[in-house]
């Protein structure tokens, strides 16, 4: 197939106005207006409101082009649009050839008879998405999240573009992916399904190409298999199956390597190649392990017969202005996820299906993908036209994504079974947000839910990708509205910590089977705040700061949790931002370490969320500019393949629900129970040490050394140690795990809350030696933050605990060492 990209010569005009500007394709309206100086940065202060008003207009993209002779002379010529966002009319040489209304689809139109050799004109008019959703909602209401604009479910456009509880209302438009002419001679390969059958030392690959012929041409194909080592083998005669001997298996990150084979299918007519389909694949089996057990019913990823504990985060679109996302930016983000020991990523259903580059990188890095279809927190009116549109969307994206080694699960939607079951958020148990009902649910819409997610989608997945597991919703217990929030089955979204305002310790009251969403908000670093504020805005309760905080009353919630945990920060906004990040990180540590200690009962902890789409206060561990928050460094530690963690008893575990500071006394039970979790494929022999220390780091009690062997993919508890002599105001426990003499996991634990601990000024100091920074303290220092001047470097470790007299050598992974500044919990005062 001959391809001619149509990426040059584009202009953008606001319909009805004489203001034509150059346009970039692929691109967007906002991106072009920004490049031309026609709009202000929508992320600066409250410019979002001005930018939103711009989308009440219609916009025209137009270009003039000549057609390459080899394309024009083809037997069939297609105009292929791989991403049009969203409501658009397409006019070629003055003739309207189509109207489209789905950003998630690939659109193709036969245009051979409409083309000429030179001077072709192509015009695409994008209609206002904000006006459209209002008009459609008046015709037939479809409710959804009250964080988004009313009517958003009526349009197949990334829902979060209309606002979310972490995202702005910036529903951009434009030609957001490639647009091209495709010349077809004889036929073409629409897609190829590669089916794997694993045997002993052999994998049989079923080759199932979907071939479209032109003019009844007789076509054959050859298959070329290239091994990870670069060896090629060619199979002629249109083979239906080929054998891979001594296969190199693909594994998730941390469990093995990620070798990738390349499968190329060459379509031929009379010995001449007329089209080629080529993909990289990984040889593996991948499913969900679900069976009855003593806890209820298991729910775990299973790769090559091995169940593993999923550790990762939820991924949202990387930018509200889509052209700012690039393969390089995506790779960097996912590499940072792996650097924090992630082995899994959930693609959340309120955005868009990511680019091919996203899936390619996940294949290479070993990140297993939980893939939502693009539905979230809404109901839909399933007319015949809408259903046809959705079926085409599913067809396009399943075929595009299904070959990837990293694809672990198709999921119907985000949170819609739960909300449909309870009739809205307000009717959920405990009503964690206190909101009124999020939407009105009609009987027809409830029926549409079942038809779409429990009939149309599973049948479509079974037909197009039968070897990938389908799950109806997240959270779910398996569908049919069968108690979708059941803690003993399926996956859960747990938000009673944060939305429900329960303490961090509440995580330890629950042993879910798989937690696919849970989180705790934090502000980004000061340099990120400065990117969207003036100095007078830099108070978290200012209008601008709250404009960049989309979760209702969240800033007050952060302050409430802060008051329960830390002293009030008086050393400026930077210390408050730092404190909020510690709250987020400590909350997630409470949950993940607890669930990893109960591995086997719980088999997944997916933190909400990995990234941001603009500079904002949110649940992310990496902010919009790629700066790591404290949470991401904590994730690197609590997602470590071998983890030593501590289940302590102290003030927070007192059964008195009305405990106050006066309850801090010697009668409170104080103890530790250590646990080693091993999420590797080999037994791990480690040495565990702990000491009771005071605020000067003096050892008050040495727990000695214990050598233990933890079986592969297992967890081992050590004995409970009572520590009645510990002073809750001045003492803490330091614990560490060593393998072959190297410390691989460590932390400290208090028996009270940080605000009551009597920290001594640790007099933090550091020096730089080559690509390392050496940090030391003169007293116990909790959660030491080490930042450079621009607060944008990545260190091997950060936000760590440090004992007096210890020198911590930390490698500088990226960034410069100018203007280093440090603080610890001591500075929260």
């Amino acid at each position: 197939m001959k391809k001619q990209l149509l990426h040059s010569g584009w202009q953008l005009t606001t319909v009805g106005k004489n203001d034509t500007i150059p346009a970039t394709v692929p691109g967007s309206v906002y991106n072009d207006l920004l490049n031309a100086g026609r709009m202000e940065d929508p992320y600066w202060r409250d410019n979002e409101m001005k930018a939103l008003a711009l989308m009440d207009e219609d916009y025209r993209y137009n270009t003039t082009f000549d057609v390459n002779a080899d394309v024009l002379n083809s037997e069939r010529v297609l105009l292929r649009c791989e991403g049009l966002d969203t409501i658009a009319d397409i006019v070629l040489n003055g003739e309207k050839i189509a109207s489209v209304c789905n950003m998630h689809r690939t659109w193709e139109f036969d245009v051979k008879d409409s083309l000429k050799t030179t001077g072709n004109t192509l015009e695409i008019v994008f209609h206002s998405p904000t006006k459209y959703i209002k008009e459609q909602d008046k015709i037939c209401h479809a409710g959804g999240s009250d964080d988004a604009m009313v009517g958003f479910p009526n349009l197949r456009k990334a829902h979060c573009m209309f606002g979310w509880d972490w995202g702005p209302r910036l529903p951009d438009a434009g030609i957001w992916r490639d647009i091209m002419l495709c010349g077809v001679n004889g036929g073409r390969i629409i897609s190829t399904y590669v089916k794997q059958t694993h045997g002993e030392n052999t994998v049989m690959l079923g080759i199932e190409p979907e071939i479209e012929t032109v003019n009844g041409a007789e076509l054959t194909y050859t298959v070329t298999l290239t091994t990870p080592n670069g060896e090629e083998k060619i199979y002629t005669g249109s083979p239906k199956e080929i054998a891979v001997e001594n296969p190199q298996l693909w594994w998730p990150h941390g469990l093995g390597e990620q070798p990738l084979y390349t499968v190329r299918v060459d379509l031929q007519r009379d010995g001449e190649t007329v089209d080629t389909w080529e993909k990289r694949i990984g040889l593996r089996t991948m499913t969900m392990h679900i069976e009855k057990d003593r806890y209820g019913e298991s729910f775990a990823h299973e790769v090559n017969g091995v169940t593993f504990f999923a550790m990762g985060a939820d991924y949202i679109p990387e930018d509200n202005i889509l052209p700012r996302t690039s393969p390089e930016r995506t790779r960097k983000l996912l590499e940072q996820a792996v650097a924090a020991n992630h082995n899994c990523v959930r693609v959340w259903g309120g955005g868009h299906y990511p680019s091919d580059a996203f899936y390619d990188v996940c294949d290479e890095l070993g990140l297993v993908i939980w893939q939502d279809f693009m539905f979230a927190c809404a109901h839909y009116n399933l007319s015949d036209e809408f259903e046809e549109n959705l079926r085409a969307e599913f067809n396009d994206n399943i075929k595009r994504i299904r070959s990837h080694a990293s694809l672990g699960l198709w999921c119907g939607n985000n949170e819609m079974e739960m909300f449909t079951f309870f009739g809205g958020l307000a009717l959920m148990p405990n009503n964690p947000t206190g909101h009124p009902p999020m939407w009105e649910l009609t009987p027809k819409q409830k029926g549409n839910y079942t038809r779409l997610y429990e009939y149309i989608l599973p049948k479509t997945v079974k037909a197009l990708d039968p070897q990938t597991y389908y799950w109806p919703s997240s959270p779910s217990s398996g569908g049919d509205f069968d108690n979708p929030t059941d803690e003993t089955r399926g996956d859960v979204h747990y938000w009673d910590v944060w939305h429900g305002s329960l303490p961090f310790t509440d995580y330890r009251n629950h042993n879910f089977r798989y937690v696919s969403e849970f989180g705790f908000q934090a502000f980004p670093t000061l340099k990120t705040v400065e990117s969207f504020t003036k100095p007078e805005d830099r108070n978290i309760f200012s209008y601008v700061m709250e404009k960049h905080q989309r979760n209702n009353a969240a800033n007050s919630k952060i302050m409430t949790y802060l008051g329960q945990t830390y002293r009030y920060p008086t050393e400026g906004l930077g210390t408050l931002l730092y404190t909020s990040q510690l709250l987020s990180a400590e909350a997630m540590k409470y949950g993940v370490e607890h669930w990893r200690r109960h591995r086997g009962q719980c088999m997944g902890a997916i933190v909400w969320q990995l990234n941001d789409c603009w500079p904002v206060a949110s649940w992310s561990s990496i902010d919009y500019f790629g700066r790591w928050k404290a949470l991401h460094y904590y994730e690197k530690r609590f997602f470590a393949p071998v983890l030593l963690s501590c289940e302590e008893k102290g003030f927070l575990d007192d059964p008195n629900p009305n405990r106050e500071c006066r309850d801090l006394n010697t009668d409170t039970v104080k103890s530790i129970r250590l646990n080693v979790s091993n999420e590797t494929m080999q037994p791990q022999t480690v040495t565990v040490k702990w000491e009771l220390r005071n605020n000067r780091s003096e050892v008050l009690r040495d727990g000695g050394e214990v050598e233990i062997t933890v079986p592969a993919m297992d967890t081992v508890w050590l004995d409970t140690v009572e520590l009645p002599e510990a002073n809750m105001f001045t003492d803490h426990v330091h614990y560490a795990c060593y393998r072959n003499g190297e410390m691989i996991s460590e932390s400290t634990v208090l028996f009270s809350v940080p605000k009551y601990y009597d920290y001594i000024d640790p007099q933090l100091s550091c020096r730089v030696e080559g690509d390392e920074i050496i940090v030391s303290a003169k007293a116990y220092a909790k959660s030491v933050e080490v930042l450079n001047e621009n607060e944008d470097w990545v260190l091997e470790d950060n936000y760590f605990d440090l004992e007096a007299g210890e020198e911590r050598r930390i490698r500088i992974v990226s960034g410069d060492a100018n203007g280093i500044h440090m603080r610890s919990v001591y500075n929260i005062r």
Side-chain angles (χ1 to χ4, degrees):
M1 185 164 61
K2 310 296 184 181
K3 294 182 180 180
Q4 178 183 341
L5 292 174
L6 302 178
H7 287 181
S8 60
W10 287 91
Q11 294 182 312
L12 173 67
T13 306
T14 306
V15 174
K17 298 181 181 179
N18 185 22
D19 60 349
T20 299
I21 60 174
T24 300
V25 171
S28 77
V29 170
Y30 282 153
N31 194 59
D32 291 331
L33 292 176
L34 283 165
N35 289 339
R38 298 298 181 88
M39 67 178 285
E40 299 176 78
D41 178 3
Y43 299 164
W44 170 251
R45 304 192 81 224
D46 64 344
N47 282 349
E48 171 197 354
M49 305 307 294
K50 300 176 185 177
L52 176 60
L54 293 173
M55 296 318 297
D56 285 339
E57 305 283 354
D58 296 346
Y59 293 91
R60 178 185 296 108
Y61 280 84
N62 65 278
T63 189
T64 301
F65 62 94
D66 300 335
V67 184
N68 297 342
D70 58 350
V71 172
L72 186 63
N73 295 330
S74 298
E75 297 169 21
R76 187 182 182 202
V77 182
L78 302 172
L79 175 64
R80 179 179 172 89
C81 311
E82 295 186 348
L84 299 176
D85 181 17
T86 297
I87 316 157
D89 296 325
I90 305 171
V91 178
L92 178 62
N93 290 331
E95 177 188 356
K96 181 179 176 180
I97 61 172
S99 295
V100 300
C101 55
N102 189 331
M103 79 172 290
H104 305 305
R105 283 183 59 180
T106 294
W107 301 89
E108 290 186 339
F109 311 100
D110 199 324
V111 295
K112 181 174 175 60
D113 294 339
S114 301
L115 291 172
K116 50 190 178 180
T117 305
T118 61
N120 294 277
T121 60
L122 178 59
E123 177 182 291
I124 304 179
V125 177
F126 290 93
H127 299 284
S128 166
T130 53
K131 288 182 178 179
Y132 180 87
I133 63 172
K134 291 177 184 177
E135 293 166 358
Q136 291 299 309
D137 196 67
K138 290 178 182 177
I139 297 170
C140 189
H141 175 67
S145 170
D146 57 1
D147 292 304
M149 298 175 70
V150 173
F152 77 88
N154 291 303
L155 189 56
R156 291 308 295 154
K157 179 177 175 68
H159 289 348
C160 61
M161 284 184 165
F162 293 104
W164 218 258
D165 59 359
W166 38 259
R169 296 184 172 186
L170 295 172
D172 204 355
I175 306 169
W176 74 292
R177 282 182 171 159
D178 287 339
I179 183 169
M180 67 189 75
L181 293 175
C182 298
V184 183
N185 290 298
R188 62 173 177 152
I189 304 173
I190 303 296
S191 182
T192 299
Y193 187 59
V194 182
K195 188 175 183 179
Q196 300 185 23
T197 304
H198 286 243
E200 187 173 353
N201 298 321
T202 303
V203 175
M204 300 302 298
L205 297 181
I207 308 297
E208 302 176 9
E210 180 184 354
I211 298 171
E212 180 183 85
T213 61
V214 176
N215 299 329
E218 294 185 6
L219 304 171
T220 61
Y221 62 87
T222 63
V223 178
T224 301
L225 179 71
T226 305
T227 71
N229 304 325
E231 300 172 0
E232 279 191 359
K233 188 171 183 180
I234 299 175
Y235 302 83
T236 60
S238 304
K240 300 295 184 183
E241 193 173 57
I242 64 176
V244 183
E245 304 294 342
N246 301 312
Q248 301 177 50
L249 296 184
W250 184 96
W251 292 93
H253 173 66
L255 299 184
E257 301 300 317
Q258 293 80 44
L260 296 171
Y261 291 73
T262 300
V263 177
R264 189 178 80 238
V265 180
D266 292 308
L267 186 65
Q268 297 169 338
R269 178 176 63 178
D270 300 328
E272 178 187 356
T273 297
V274 296
D275 196 14
T276 296
W277 177 94
E278 183 176 299
K279 294 287 185 181
R280 292 186 305 173
I281 66 169
L283 303 182
R284 87 292 183 272
T285 61
M286 181 96 76
T287 189
M288 297 303 293
H289 185 85
I290 300 176
E291 67 175 0
K292 299 291 184 182
D293 60 19
R294 60 194 176 108
Y295 306 113
E297 187 173 77
S298 66
F299 190 80
H301 295 286
E302 181 181 300
V303 177
N304 302 324
V306 177
T307 57
F308 68 94
F309 193 103
M311 302 182 289
D314 293 273
Y315 169 88
I316 65 171
E318 295 170 48
D319 209 304
N320 241 87
I321 301 174
L322 296 180
R324 292 181 175 178
T325 301
S326 66
E328 295 75 23
R329 180 176 173 182
T330 296
R331 176 176 290 276
K332 184 176 180 180
L333 176 65
L334 294 173
E335 286 176 344
Q336 290 174 325
V338 168
N341 291 310
H342 294 197
N343 61 25
C344 192
V345 59
R346 175 175 172 245
V347 178
W348 172 74
H352 57 76
Y353 302 94
S355 66
D356 292 336
F358 173 90
Y359 299 99
D360 288 340
V361 175
C362 287
D363 292 345
E364 295 170 14
L365 298 179
L367 286 169
V368 172
I369 299 169
W370 174 306
Q371 177 67 58
D372 282 2
F373 286 94
M374 292 300 114
F375 302 94
C377 301
H379 288 303
Y380 304 91
N381 296 311
L382 200 59
S383 64
D384 289 344
E385 181 182 15
F386 193 59
E387 179 183 331
E388 182 182 0
N389 195 359
L390 292 178
R391 286 181 182 270
E393 172 189 322
F394 303 154
N395 184 78
D396 289 345
N397 288 284
I398 293 172
K399 288 179 181 179
R400 179 172 69 90
I401 298 169
R402 65 186 177 183
S403 296
H404 287 277
S406 52
L407 179 61
L409 174 70
W410 291 108
C411 178
N413 65 75
N414 173 76
E415 296 189 338
M416 288 169 47
E417 181 187 6
M418 173 178 69
F419 288 145
T420 302
F421 176 69
F422 289 113
L425 190 60
L427 299 181
M428 289 180 61
N430 303 322
N431 185 15
T433 67
H435 286 184
M438 293 177 68
W439 55 73
E440 296 174 3
L441 175 64
T442 66
K444 183 177 180 180
Q445 287 170 339
K446 186 170 184 177
N448 284 341
Y449 175 93
T450 300
R451 182 181 177 191
L452 180 55
Y453 304 109
E454 301 196 5
Y455 181 74
I456 294 174
L457 258 175
K459 285 181 72 70
T460 304
V461 170
K462 185 176 181 179
L464 299 178
D465 188 18
Q467 291 195 315
T468 301
Y469 195 87
Y470 175 79
W471 189 243
S473 182
S474 181
S476 181
S477 296
D480 297 321
F481 305 116
D482 181 13
N483 191 7
T485 58
D486 190 343
E487 295 189 9
T488 70
R489 298 177 290 159
D491 71 310
V492 300
H493 294 186
Y494 189 68
W495 286 103
D496 281 353
V497 177
W498 181 258
H499 285 309
S501 299
L502 294 184
F504 303 163
T505 50
D506 185 66
Y507 286 126
R508 295 182 180 176
N509 296 327
H510 306 277
N511 290 317
F512 305 113
R513 308 316 305 262
Y514 190 116
V515 193
S516 49
E517 265 194 37
F518 68 111
F520 194 101
Q521 263 207 15
F523 296 105
T525 187
L526 183 58
K527 287 296 182 182
T528 294
V529 170
E530 290 174 353
S531 76
F532 63 82
T533 60
K534 291 182 176 180
E536 57 264 34
D537 300 325
R538 292 167 196 159
N539 181 299
I540 67 167
F541 294 110
S542 73
Y543 168 71
V544 170
M545 287 290 285
E546 291 199 335
K547 198 69 178 172
H548 289 251
Q549 166 57 275
R550 309 317 283 257
N551 185 227
N552 186 41
N555 289 357
S556 297
K557 190 181 294 290
I558 289 173
M559 295 305 294
T560 298
Y561 274 103
L562 188 153
Q564 296 169 357
T565 311
Y566 294 101
R567 298 183 184 184
Y568 186 79
T570 59
E571 294 188 357
L573 177 62
T575 303
L576 175 56
L577 305 182
Y578 160 74
T579 308
S580 78
Q581 291 195 22
L582 295 188
L583 285 169
S584 170
E586 290 288 342
M588 297 298 93
K589 180 183 178 183
Y590 260 92
V592 173
E593 290 190 345
H594 168 70
W595 293 318
R596 287 197 66 183
R597 288 193 288 265
H598 293 272
R599 186 198 191 281
Q601 185 169 5
C602 181
M603 288 298 288
I606 308 300
V607 176
W608 184 270
Q609 65 204 72
L610 175 62
N611 59 301
D612 286 323
C613 64
W614 72 315
V616 65
S618 80
W619 297 268
S620 70
S621 62
I622 300 176
D623 78 14
Y624 174 73
F625 295 106
R627 294 184 171 106
W628 288 27
K629 295 183 184 178
L631 172 57
H632 208 68
Y633 286 101
Y634 270 58
E635 286 178 2
K636 184 177 181 181
R637 294 194 288 269
F638 62 59
F639 284 151
V642 180
L643 168 70
L644 175 65
S645 66
C646 180
E647 185 179 83
E648 84 288 351
K649 298 291 184 182
F651 171 61
L652 293 178
D653 298 285
D654 193 302
N656 176 12
N658 300 311
R659 61 182 180 271
E660 297 178 5
C661 61
R662 62 175 175 267
D663 297 314
L664 277 169
N665 55 57
T666 56
D667 294 333
T668 300
V669 173
K670 289 156 288 185
S671 68
I672 61 169
R673 191 183 183 198
L674 299 175
N675 176 281
V676 183
S677 302
N678 175 18
E679 203 61 29
T680 76
M681 298 279 278
Q682 299 80 33
Q684 298 290 332
T685 299
V686 297
T687 300
V688 176
K689 302 179 182 179
W690 66 267
E691 304 96 10
L692 177 67
R693 295 173 176 251
N694 63 18
N695 51 9
R696 292 182 174 81
S697 293
E698 297 166 339
V699 176
L700 307 178
R701 180 174 169 183
D702 189 338
E705 299 182 2
V706 177
E707 184 176 278
I708 61 171
T709 297
V710 187
M713 314 298 277
D714 206 347
T715 182
V716 170
W717 287 93
L718 280 71
D719 293 337
T720 298
V721 178
E722 303 288 346
L723 293 166
E725 72 273 29
N727 185 312
M728 286 188 287
F729 296 101
T730 60
D731 299 344
H732 65 277
V733 170
H734 174 269
Y735 53 92
C737 180
Y738 299 82
R739 182 176 55 201
N740 299 324
E742 177 186 1
M743 192 273 291
I744 58 172
S745 182
E746 72 158 351
S747 191
T748 67
V749 67
L750 310 180
F751 295 104
S752 179
V753 286
K755 66 179 180 179
Y756 294 149
Y757 193 87
D758 186 16
Y759 294 98
I760 298 172
D761 185 355
Q763 301 178 52
L764 296 170
S765 62
C766 70
R767 66 183 188 275
V768 177
E769 294 182 359
D771 66 348
E772 289 186 325
I773 180 171
I774 295 90
V775 182
S776 60
K778 294 187 177 180
Y780 169 57
K782 183 76 173 170
S783 302
V784 177
E785 176 192 68
V786 187
L787 296 179
N788 63 352
E789 185 174 21
N790 200 39
E791 301 181 346
D792 62 350
W793 66 0
V794 174
L795 300 179
E796 188 176 33
D797 196 12
N798 209 341
Y799 302 93
F800 50 84
D801 301 343
L802 194 63
E803 298 290 350
E806 178 186 359
E807 282 198 338
R808 182 68 60 89
R809 303 183 71 92
I810 306 166
R811 184 170 61 89
I812 301 170
V813 177
S814 65
D816 60 62
N818 296 330
I820 297 173
H821 50 285
M822 299 182 293
R823 65 182 141 217
S824 69
V825 174
Y826 170 81
N827 298 102
I828 306 174
R829 57 184 54 243

